[in-house]
Amino acid sequence: MDNHLQNIIQTINETSNPAVKAQRITSYIADGFKKQKLNLYEAYLLHWEVIHNTRESYLLPAWNRSVQISTCLALLNQKLLALAFHDTNCAQQLEQWGMEAFALCAEKRAHYIMDRYRDFIMIDYDCEALLKEMLAIREKYHTMSDSQEPYPIEVFPYHYFAPEQILLEKTDFSKEKVMSEEVETILIALST
């Protein structure tokens, strides 16, 4: 393993705090997108590690982290990507974790997604009206009030991809399941 890769893994693993670990993986994903070093599938797989660590940070009393609207949005975006990759079992798991996070969400205020979160998290391939509604929100976020944030683009996959558009276009991303040796090594290191 080269020094660069070893440093990445060490930086992620040098903390036992799952929220910090999630943030470090998120930074790696964002940097990978910015530099076009990660494809969507690699980022999707890495983001599972973010979700697992974030979930641990709000479920385990030792970490005492609260669920925010952005947590629920991240689970929703990941669910849409699971559908895009035809990852049915993961999509079902994300529905459960999304509803769990929704029930635990500490932010109790009106929000364009949270007001109908149950509908959105249960979305499937044929929910065209809801997918169009989500895409419209994503496309007009810059005209929305700051009081309505967070926005879908503020959580993975950020502004780089619109999962609902992938589903509306019926793009088969299951054929895009390509992973570099670097990402594979990171995923193995994170799971051991």
Side-chain angles (χ1 to χ4, degrees):
M1 178 181 336
D2 68 14
N3 285 342
H4 169 71
L5 186 52
Q6 197 168 6
N7 288 340
I8 291 167
I9 293 167
Q10 183 178 347
T11 299
I12 293 169
N13 281 333
E14 68 186 2
T15 180
S16 60
N17 185 323
V20 174
K21 192 175 282 196
Q23 184 53 47
R24 290 178 181 172
I25 300 167
T26 298
S27 295
Y28 177 79
I29 294 169
D31 189 53
F33 272 162
K34 192 183 323 179
K35 294 178 179 175
Q36 298 180 337
K37 288 185 169 185
L38 289 177
N39 64 42
L40 183 57
Y41 184 64
E42 292 170 321
Y44 165 76
L45 293 175
L46 287 164
H47 196 255
W48 269 106
E49 296 300 321
V50 173
I51 286 173
H52 286 287
N53 280 283
T54 301
R55 188 168 178 264
E56 192 172 293
S57 76
Y58 61 75
L59 287 180
L60 297 179
W63 305 111
N64 198 29
R65 181 153 186 200
S66 62
V67 175
Q68 303 299 312
I69 292 173
S70 59
T71 309
C72 295
L73 288 176
L75 288 163
L76 177 57
N77 279 349
Q78 188 81 354
K79 195 258 172 120
L80 294 173
L81 286 172
L83 292 174
F85 286 115
H86 295 274
D87 200 349
T88 309
N89 291 337
C90 289
Q92 290 171 349
Q93 182 68 69
L94 287 158
E95 283 178 14
Q96 293 171 10
W97 288 353
M99 289 307 298
E100 172 188 71
F102 179 73
L104 295 171
C105 188
E107 288 185 83
K108 305 292 184 196
R109 62 181 173 89
H111 185 269
Y112 56 94
I113 295 285
M114 298 304 285
D115 293 346
R116 296 185 47 216
Y117 192 76
R118 285 184 179 91
D119 294 336
F120 286 119
I121 198 66
M122 301 306 278
I123 211 164
D124 209 339
Y125 299 100
D126 59 350
C127 295
E128 198 167 299
L130 284 174
L131 291 168
K132 285 180 180 177
E133 189 176 331
M134 288 189 66
L135 183 59
I137 291 166
R138 186 181 297 271
E139 290 175 340
K140 67 177 184 176
Y141 85 95
H142 58 281
T143 63
M144 297 171 77
S145 163
D146 286 343
S147 66
Q148 293 174 296
E149 65 184 351
Y151 306 114
I153 64 152
E154 294 175 346
V155 295
F156 174 78
Y158 319 109
H159 63 277
Y160 296 100
F161 296 94
E164 59 279 0
Q165 185 169 11
I166 292 169
L167 290 168
L168 282 167
E169 292 172 354
K170 308 216 183 300
T171 306
D172 185 2
F173 267 75
S174 64
K175 296 174 183 147
E176 304 297 320
K177 293 182 176 181
V178 178
M179 186 180 0
S180 70
E181 189 175 321
E182 177 173 302
V183 170
E184 183 177 11
T185 302
I186 291 170
L187 288 169
I188 291 169
L190 293 176
S191 66
T192 56

